[in-house]
Amino acid sequence: MTPQELANLAHLRRARDLIDREYARPLDVPTMAAGALMSPAHFSRQFKAAYSETPYNYLMTRRIERAMALLRAGSNVTDACMEVGCTSLGSFSSRFTEIVGMTPSEYRAREHHAVKAMPNCIAKQHTKPDRKGKKAARETARETLSRIEEAS
């Protein structure tokens, strides 16, 4: 890698860290790009090349991941939606279903005994949303939850 490519990766990591830290506040591509010291268009292209998803998709995946933890802890769907920075319950529910494979209400209603017993770092690995397409995500989510429930 060239020194410029390494510098770009460092800037992209800075922007990704910004998303991870500030996921609950309103973030748009120009704000994220400013954190990476890049123009919005260049930032979007470079981010997708480095992390295989757009900055917005990364942000929404982080938000859904945090919402899953809130729902497991007993928050209601509306509170979880607002807590993670989403402003539209309908858009949140659609995106949650797309990524997780079930509605937020279905996810909240499931038993999560095994996940609650795990250390947070392990639970995060086992429940991390994965964008593999709607059907694959649904199957993956159900398989993961089944495995976790069987382990408890």
Side-chain angles (χ1 to χ4, degrees):
M1 286 192 139
T2 68
Q4 180 61 41
E5 290 172 331
L6 290 173
N8 280 345
L9 282 176
H11 294 309
L12 290 170
R13 276 194 302 275
R14 186 178 307 139
R16 189 182 65 184
D17 290 344
L18 170 74
I19 296 169
D20 289 338
R21 251 189 344 270
E22 305 292 335
Y23 66 90
R25 70 173 244 240
L27 286 175
D28 56 7
V29 172
T31 302
M32 293 180 238
L37 307 174
M38 297 178 187
S39 72
H42 183 67
F43 169 71
S44 291
R45 287 189 302 273
Q46 292 296 309
F47 193 96
K48 184 165 184 170
Y51 300 114
S52 301
E53 63 183 328
T54 66
Y56 180 75
N57 283 343
Y58 183 83
L59 170 64
M60 288 307 297
T61 301
R62 295 290 76 75
R63 286 179 172 172
I64 297 302
E65 183 176 39
R66 269 57 171 213
M68 290 170 69
L70 292 170
L71 293 170
R72 283 193 305 271
S75 291
N76 68 44
V77 175
T78 303
D79 290 344
C81 169
M82 298 303 159
E83 181 87 15
V84 299
C86 295
T87 55
S88 166
L89 184 59
S91 296
F92 168 77
S93 294
S94 295
R95 185 58 67 109
F96 190 99
T97 303
E98 174 188 327
I99 293 172
V100 178
M102 62 183 74
T103 67
S105 298
E106 290 172 334
Y107 185 81
R108 183 178 183 269
R110 291 190 72 121
E111 292 294 326
H112 302 283
H113 297 300
V115 175
K116 288 179 183 176
M118 293 178 192
N120 286 338
C121 59
I122 303 298
K124 185 176 177 182
Q125 287 177 332
H126 286 284
T127 61
K128 185 175 181 171
D130 190 15
R131 295 177 169 272
K132 293 182 181 176
K134 293 178 185 177
K135 184 177 179 183
R138 261 192 304 277
E139 291 170 4
T140 301
R142 288 192 177 113
E143 289 170 7
T144 300
L145 289 172
S146 294
R147 276 196 320 263
I148 290 170
E149 289 169 358
E150 288 172 6
S152 62

